[in-house]
């Protein structure tokens, strides 16, 4: 698609017209950035001096407006329309095959680095991402520890295809493997040797899934959202399996629903994990549960 150059005042007039018809400014500006190549800081320059600043876009305003109307009228996620999503220091491919990576999940990697960064010194360890989806967590782990052996697991073949594409783009020098199956089961040959395991499993209670915003409920896979009657079905399987699958001293880190912290911590404690504790997301909500196998 041929690049487009126009006056800043023309862009702001177009932007104002679209927002008057509905939608959030933050979403339209995201579309201008990821879809049109106009970075947020450059948009601020345009707003400060619309008559002097020239704008360069990677596509036409007609094309962006078509995408915007699809998002606004059909509640299709902008990430699906663009096919990409920024996450940490990469830009991932996304599709309806897996959940769109959320910003708060980035903190799971920060927690993993804090807990496992010094565990093995310079020796290669072994990590796993259970329920990898788009492969966002796997990509981050592979980039953080390229000498480690990595395993990304998902029951969905379509999700694994997406994860492979992202890993091949962003973790070309890392030692990673993809496995189709349910949680710990595909990793049985490595049980007892997993030093770090992360997971962002389905954790929304089944009755709540139908109440989610249409942009999520109608366009992201229910398989990746529905955690059973109380939302904890997958968390239980993750915690119970950790007793055998983790290496002695190995860490398990799980993202969960905003009101499940105590339940997941109790599961970890009952299973025998040590150093069990909660961690907060960007809004200060206890969103993550952390524990390690004794040893």
């Amino acid at each position: 698609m041929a690049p487009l150059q126009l006056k800043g005042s023309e862009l702001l007039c177009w932007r104002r017209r679209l927002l008057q018809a509905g939608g959030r400014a933050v979403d339209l500006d995201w579309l201008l950035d990821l879809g049109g190549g106009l970075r947020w800081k450059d948009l601020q320059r345009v707003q400060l001096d619309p008559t002097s600043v020239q704008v360069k876009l990677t596509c036409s305003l007609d094309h962006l407006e078509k995408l915007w109307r699809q998002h606004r009228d059909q509640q299709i996620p902008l990430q699906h329309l663009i096919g990409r999503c920024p996450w940490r220091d990469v830009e991932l491919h996304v599709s309806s095959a897996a959940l769109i990576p959320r910003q708060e999940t980035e903190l799971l990697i920060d927690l993993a680095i804090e807990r496992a960064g010094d565990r093995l010194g310079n020796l290669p360890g072994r990590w796993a991402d259970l329920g990898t989806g788009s492969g966002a967590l796997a990509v981050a782990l592979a980039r953080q520890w390229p000498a480690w052996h990595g395993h990304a697991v998902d029951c969905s073949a379509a999700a694994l295809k997406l994860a492979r594409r992202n890993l091949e783009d962003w973790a070309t020098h890392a030692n990673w493997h993809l496995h189709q199956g349910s949680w710990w089961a595909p990793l049985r040959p490595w049980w007892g040797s997993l030093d770090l395991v992360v997971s962002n499993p389905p954790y929304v209670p089944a009755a709540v899934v139908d109440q989610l915003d249409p942009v999520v409920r109608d366009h992201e896979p229910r398989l990746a959202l529905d955690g059973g009657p109380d939302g904890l079905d997958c968390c239980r399987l993750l915690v119970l399996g950790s007793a055998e699958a983790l290496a002695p001293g190995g860490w398990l880190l799980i993202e969960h629903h905003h009101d499940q912290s105590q339940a997941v911590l109790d599961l970890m404690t009952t299973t025998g994990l040590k150093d069990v504790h909660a961690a907060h997301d960007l809004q200060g909500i206890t969103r993550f549960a952390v524990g390690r196998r004794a040893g």
Side-chain angles (χ1 to χ4, degrees):
M1 195 172 295
L4 172 71
Q5 185 164 324
L6 68 161
K7 295 178 181 178
S9 55
E10 292 179 279
L11 176 72
L12 293 185
C13 182
W14 173 86
R15 180 178 179 271
R16 185 163 50 250
R17 175 173 61 82
L18 265 58
L19 290 176
Q20 286 173 346
R24 302 191 310 164
V26 65
D27 294 332
L28 183 54
D29 294 345
W30 189 96
L31 177 62
L32 279 169
D33 185 343
L34 268 291
L38 180 65
R39 300 305 178 220
W40 185 84
K41 63 180 179 62
D42 295 322
L43 177 59
Q44 304 314 299
R45 291 178 55 240
V46 172
Q47 291 176 326
L48 289 172
D49 189 8
T51 58
S52 302
V53 176
Q54 290 285 312
V55 176
K56 291 183 179 180
L57 298 176
T58 57
C59 62
S60 70
L61 289 180
D62 286 344
H63 177 68
L64 292 174
E65 184 168 344
K66 179 182 178 182
L67 296 179
W68 177 249
R69 291 183 182 277
Q70 285 181 275
H71 167 69
R72 190 190 64 199
D73 300 340
Q74 301 174 44
Q75 298 293 300
I76 301 174
L78 286 171
Q79 293 91 336
H80 288 176
L81 294 169
I82 299 298
R84 292 173 285 117
C85 178
W87 199 78
R88 288 182 71 86
D89 59 340
V90 300
E91 196 171 283
L92 299 171
H93 301 287
V94 294
S95 74
S96 59
L99 284 185
I100 297 166
R102 268 60 171 184
Q103 187 180 12
E104 61 262 24
T105 306
E106 296 181 12
L107 297 179
L108 203 57
I109 296 299
D110 296 329
L111 291 170
I113 293 171
E114 291 172 7
R115 302 306 183 279
D118 298 329
R119 175 166 153 67
L120 300 173
N122 295 322
L123 298 175
R126 192 179 302 278
W127 59 259
D129 172 20
L130 304 184
T132 192
S134 67
L137 290 171
V139 166
L141 293 174
R143 287 166 63 84
Q144 177 66 30
W145 293 295
W148 285 35
H149 301 280
H151 302 272
V153 176
D154 206 287
C155 64
S156 165
L160 285 176
K161 183 178 179 180
L162 182 62
R164 177 178 296 279
R165 188 179 180 190
N166 283 318
L167 282 160
E168 287 177 345
D169 277 0
W170 295 105
T172 54
H173 300 297
N175 185 6
W176 49 264
H177 307 274
L178 297 175
H179 309 269
Q180 185 174 2
S182 178
W183 306 115
W184 301 102
L187 303 185
R188 181 175 286 275
W190 299 278
W191 281 13
S193 67
L194 297 169
D195 301 291
L196 173 67
V197 177
V198 299
S199 184
N200 179 18
Y203 55 64
V204 181
V208 177
V209 174
D210 293 327
Q211 302 170 21
L212 296 174
D213 288 340
V215 71
V216 176
R217 181 193 65 216
D218 298 340
H219 298 282
E220 299 200 71
R222 189 181 183 104
L223 182 66
L225 295 167
D226 191 338
D230 63 356
L232 292 169
D233 283 1
C234 300
C235 290
R236 289 189 184 94
L237 292 171
L238 286 166
V239 174
L240 291 174
S242 67
E244 287 186 89
L246 288 176
W251 288 95
L252 174 66
L253 298 91
I254 300 176
E255 180 174 333
H256 53 70
H257 206 234
H258 64 84
D259 58 356
Q260 295 171 344
S261 179
Q262 193 57 54
V264 180
L265 295 179
D266 289 345
L267 281 170
M268 287 185 164
T269 301
T270 302
T271 303
L273 297 184
K274 306 300 181 184
D275 296 333
V276 172
H277 59 281
H280 297 86
D281 65 12
L282 298 169
Q283 281 73 47
I285 299 169
T286 46
R287 179 72 64 177
F288 310 101
V290 181
R292 66 171 181 83
R293 183 178 175 182

